[in-house]
């Protein structure tokens, strides 16, 4: 008879049931929809421009003035992306010099409610997120300072 060494128990629970390894199809659909909506807002200036247009700033030059640090090219590219996605209309007036104005489409206006909800969430929970990040950074710095602690975690 041979001596058997004790088997170490895994630190995390292993899921044996295949259906628990993936989110349910309904959740995957919701995740896809959220990702699609967030993709529309990816980019440094998109949210700024949507808020500015919702507040009444529509002229090309005024929009640029309201984006400190943004180049004209970056703003134009961002406006074109918003126009491509159906959130913004571009109107060129046949004047000399040419006048260009931008406005939110109905689809663009429908994005303002989720943006306000995100803003309210940020106001309500921003301090909690900052505290969590501070704790995480402190823990990471503590792990670097104490190599023995890093090995045991």
């Amino acid at each position: 008879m041979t001596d058997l060494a004790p088997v170490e128990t895994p630190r995390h629970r292993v899921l044996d049931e295949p259906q628990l390894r993936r989110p349910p199809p309904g959740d995957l659909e919701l995740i896809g929809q959220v990702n699609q909506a967030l993709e529309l807002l990816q980019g440094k200036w998109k949210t700024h421009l949507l808020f500015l247009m919702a507040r009444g700033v529509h002229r090309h030059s005024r929009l640029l003035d309201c984006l400190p640090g943004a180049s004209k090219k970056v703003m134009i590219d961002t406006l074109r992306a918003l126009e491509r996605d159906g959130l913004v209309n571009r109107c060129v007036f046949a004047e000399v010099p040419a006048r260009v104005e931008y406005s939110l489409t109905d689809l663009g206006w429908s994005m303002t409610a989720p943006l306000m909800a995100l803003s309210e969430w940020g106001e309500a929970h921003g301090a909690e997120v900052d505290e969590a990040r501070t704790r995480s950074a402190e823990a990471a710095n503590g792990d670097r300072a104490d190599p023995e602690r890093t090995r045991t975690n």
Side-chain angles (χ1 to χ4, degrees):
M1 192 164 197
T2 58
D3 292 327
L4 296 174
V7 177
E8 187 173 319
T9 323
R11 290 184 181 202
H12 55 84
R13 198 175 106 206
V14 178
L15 299 175
D16 292 328
E17 302 173 33
Q19 67 271 16
L20 295 178
R21 292 185 185 163
R22 296 176 187 248
D27 287 357
L28 288 175
E29 185 177 333
L30 289 172
I31 291 166
Q33 291 166 349
V34 169
N35 284 338
Q36 183 180 16
L38 291 175
E39 187 179 296
L40 291 174
L41 301 174
Q42 285 181 339
K44 184 173 182 179
W45 301 109
K46 286 184 177 181
T47 306
H48 290 73
L49 288 167
L50 290 172
F51 268 102
L52 289 169
M53 285 184 264
R55 297 281 186 224
V57 180
H58 302 289
R59 298 279 309 266
H60 183 273
S61 58
R62 289 283 322 275
L63 289 169
L64 186 59
D65 290 342
C66 293
L67 300 177
S71 69
K72 186 174 183 178
K73 180 194 181 316
V74 167
M75 187 190 75
I76 290 170
D77 290 347
T78 304
L79 287 166
R80 285 183 181 155
L82 291 169
E83 185 180 10
R84 177 201 65 216
D85 293 335
L87 300 176
V88 169
N89 277 329
R90 177 177 186 260
C91 184
V92 180
F93 293 88
E95 301 173 356
V96 177
R99 179 170 53 119
V100 179
E101 290 188 0
Y102 294 87
S103 60
L104 295 178
T105 62
D106 289 342
L107 186 61
W109 278 108
S110 72
M111 184 60 85
T112 60
L115 288 174
M116 291 304 296
L118 282 172
S119 171
E120 291 166 4
W121 186 92
E123 183 179 4
H125 301 289
E128 293 172 64
V129 172
D130 290 341
E131 290 168 10
R133 288 177 176 169
T134 299
R135 284 192 307 273
S136 178
E138 288 170 353
N141 289 336
D143 287 348
R144 285 190 207 110
D146 183 5
E148 197 60 36
R149 184 175 172 207
T150 303
R151 282 187 231 133
T152 59
N153 285 343

